[in-house]
Amino acid sequence: MRTLYLDCGMGAAGDMLAAALLELLPDPDSFVEELNALGIPGVHFSREASVKCGITGTHLAVTVDGQEEESQDFHGHGHEHMHGHEHIHGQEHGHVSSCGHVHEPVPGHEHENVHGYEQGQEHGHVHGHEHGHAHGHSHASLRDMEHLVREHLHLPERVKEKMLAAYGLIAEAESRAHGVPVQEIHFHEVGTMDAVADIAAVCLLMDRLAPDEVVVSPVHVGSGQVRCAHGILPVPAPATAWILRDVPVYSAGIQGELCTPTGAALLKTFAARFGQMPPMRVQAIGYGMGKKDFEAANCVRAMLGEAEAAPEEICELCCNVDDMTGEAVGFAMERLFEAGALDVYTMPIGMKKGRPGILLHAMCKEAEKEAVLRAMFAHTATIGVRENRFRRHVLNRRVETLDTPYGEVRRKVSEGYGVRRGKYEYEDLARIAKEQGISLAEAEALADREGLR
């Protein structure tokens, strides 16, 4: 299994994740050129070498209209607050916070821009009052961001969907943390393009690397507090904390914010699971650097390699029936699959009084057991279901989509334990056979001659 492991021992941020993934590519400079051709308004990417605690890595710098985001006039202006609506946190790195005012460090707590990126990024605010800005900067709603991503960025649709999933998490987190509808969450123009750049880079890199599984370490979130005009806020900030629900997180004494909403949302979007690094044969390692220096290397580390699928625990639910028609059994099997069963099959059995019967099996994971059990009682005539536990060893599986002169052909690939095999999707071969007026076997041979295997 092609596995990507992300070590977030110093937290995570959009640019750090992007830089770590960038180092896994054989030609990172060409990819940076691709990023600059995406069409993100005013944005330019550049790759810079960076050294932390003696380790050399990459910092992915993003400029917006010729300036790095951190240098933009975002928290000065002297307008705290000359507009009459509350700003919701979205940047927390020593600048504007949930309260919508310039951060000041709490005495005894260092609070600078910990990673040196994303200033103003995804900084939301609640609408509902007239703007009283002494200067003009506009805001973008979640709908505006969807329009930008879908209509103006030169990206595959699957990458756009991942971007919008990450943005949706951020907007929902702001909504939950501050008690306002998602529709009323807005993003500041200053910082918005920088955030779009980070999210687009990570999503496109993930698509290019195409790991079968992404595993993320427990996330170091930092510690301390920041002061804003409305009070003192804890680290992690409310939106980050909400996004990281059900994720293993910790603090190891470093003062400052190590994980941002963007970083948290990207981890949550792509992680198949959070935990320790699995046994794997590492083939490439990347280091994505933040800007600030600590006694620990301020980086995200990405490790790409091959890992064998671990045995998984599955549940078998089975029952005997002797008073159902074949059609009724077939209908029940369909419902069991819909309920989440991994596999459903039958075996002929002999029952009491010499009656022929059917032994119905449904294999499922623990999370789907209740739904499958309910479906079995609802759609069969049984009055009792047996349960068994098994460990299952499986080959790693994925679906490849291949371009041919006859259209796209999907191929299911299974590999692991020294075995690799592929099988074309029946529907695609059937389509070719019908269109070309040939048999199914001839369609498969035609696909083979095109070099698909």
Side-chain angles (χ1 to χ4, degrees):
M1 177 184 293
R2 186 174 170 84
T3 299
L4 174 65
Y5 181 71
L6 297 175
D7 182 354
C8 298
M10 285 295 286
D15 68 332
M16 294 172 72
L17 287 167
L21 298 176
L22 185 64
E23 286 210 329
L24 300 178
L25 296 180
D27 188 359
D29 290 328
S30 294
F31 188 84
V32 172
E33 293 178 10
E34 290 184 45
L35 292 177
N36 284 320
L38 291 181
I40 304 176
V43 165
H44 180 77
F45 295 86
S46 60
R47 175 173 169 255
E48 303 171 348
S50 177
V51 178
K52 301 293 179 186
C53 298
I55 300 172
T56 300
T58 292
H59 170 66
L60 186 63
V62 175
T63 58
V64 181
D65 295 327
Q67 291 183 305
E68 267 202 90
E69 174 57 24
E70 65 190 24
S71 65
Q72 297 218 17
D73 188 15
F74 177 56
H75 62 284
H77 301 313
H79 77 292
E80 345 163 25
H81 262 8
M82 300 182 68
H83 48 297
H85 49 251
E86 176 189 8
H87 279 254
I88 288 184
H89 146 96
Q91 200 283 324
E92 330 95 288
H93 280 236
H95 298 282
V96 177
S97 178
S98 324
C99 304
H101 297 272
V102 180
H103 279 170
E104 296 177 3
V106 175
H109 293 276
E110 177 186 17
H111 187 85
E112 300 179 29
N113 184 1
V114 173
H115 290 303
Y117 55 87
E118 294 182 318
Q119 291 197 6
Q121 138 171 347
E122 85 273 13
H123 172 62
H125 77 277
V126 181
H127 256 207
H129 303 282
E130 291 298 320
H131 287 209
H133 290 241
H135 60 285
H137 58 247
S138 61
H139 306 92
S141 67
L142 185 59
R143 180 176 296 180
D144 294 329
M145 299 308 302
E146 290 175 352
H147 177 76
L148 170 66
V149 171
R150 292 195 185 280
E151 304 299 330
H152 296 283
L153 301 188
H154 309 303
L155 289 166
E157 285 301 317
R158 60 185 179 275
V159 176
K160 293 180 181 180
E161 291 300 326
K162 289 295 187 181
M163 288 187 65
L164 293 176
Y167 259 112
L169 280 174
I170 295 168
E172 187 177 4
E174 297 289 359
S175 172
R176 295 298 186 101
H178 301 284
V180 296
V182 170
Q183 300 91 322
E184 295 182 20
I185 296 296
H186 282 62
F187 303 97
H188 275 266
E189 180 181 46
V190 178
T192 294
M193 291 304 104
D194 180 72
V196 171
D198 288 341
I199 294 173
V202 170
C203 292
L204 188 57
L205 280 159
M206 284 289 192
D207 186 73
R208 185 65 50 84
L209 293 167
D212 297 316
E213 182 182 46
V214 178
V215 182
V216 179
S217 73
V219 181
H220 189 179
V221 295
S223 64
Q225 297 173 315
V226 290
R227 188 192 305 278
C228 72
H230 289 181
I232 296 173
L233 297 179
V235 171
T240 303
W242 193 90
I243 294 171
L244 292 177
R245 290 168 307 121
D246 299 321
V247 171
V249 299
Y250 67 97
S251 174
I254 292 179
Q255 295 292 317
E257 181 185 51
L258 299 183
C259 188
T260 68
T262 297
L266 288 167
L267 294 177
K268 202 75 175 287
T269 297
F270 287 101
R273 56 191 173 93
F274 291 81
Q276 298 302 313
M277 180 178 177
M280 58 187 290
R281 294 183 295 277
V282 177
Q283 298 163 343
I285 303 173
Y287 292 88
M289 303 304 198
K291 282 195 169 180
K292 192 170 177 62
D293 293 319
F294 296 100
E295 60 183 23
N298 185 19
C299 66
V300 168
R301 179 165 63 174
M303 307 177 79
L304 184 66
E306 293 292 327
E308 300 290 354
E312 59 181 350
E313 299 286 335
I314 61 169
C315 178
E316 178 195 53
L317 301 174
C318 55
C319 64
N320 299 353
V321 293
D322 63 1
D323 52 355
M324 293 177 64
T325 66
E327 292 87 351
V329 172
F331 181 82
M333 294 174 71
E334 292 174 358
R335 303 290 80 75
L336 291 169
F337 276 119
E338 290 175 356
L342 298 168
D343 196 10
V344 182
Y345 61 96
T346 63
M347 297 176 64
I349 57 174
M351 298 179 66
K352 62 185 179 182
K353 299 182 181 179
R355 291 194 299 266
I358 291 174
L359 176 57
L360 177 63
H361 295 259
M363 313 298 291
C364 65
K365 296 183 179 180
E366 180 66 28
E368 285 72 45
K369 184 184 75 172
E370 183 67 22
V372 174
L373 188 60
R374 287 178 177 275
M376 188 170 282
F377 277 118
H379 298 290
T380 74
T382 190
I383 59 173
V385 175
R386 297 182 297 278
E387 176 182 337
N388 295 303
R389 299 285 176 153
F390 296 97
R391 296 184 70 194
R392 183 172 77 148
H393 301 264
V394 299
L395 297 179
N396 302 317
R397 289 157 291 179
R398 69 177 186 276
V399 177
E400 298 176 344
T401 301
L402 308 172
D403 292 324
T404 78
Y406 312 101
E408 290 187 345
V409 176
R410 290 166 294 171
R411 182 173 62 178
K412 292 179 282 190
V413 178
S414 303
E415 55 189 348
Y417 300 97
V419 173
R420 188 179 192 277
R421 58 175 67 104
K423 182 179 180 181
Y424 297 118
E425 192 68 56
Y426 163 77
E427 286 81 4
D428 295 341
L429 291 182
R431 174 183 53 78
I432 293 174
K434 292 176 183 178
E435 292 174 352
Q436 301 299 317
I438 58 179
S439 70
L440 199 63
E442 288 172 320
E444 184 172 2
L446 191 63
D448 287 341
R449 285 200 298 272
E450 291 297 328
L452 299 183
R453 284 184 175 171

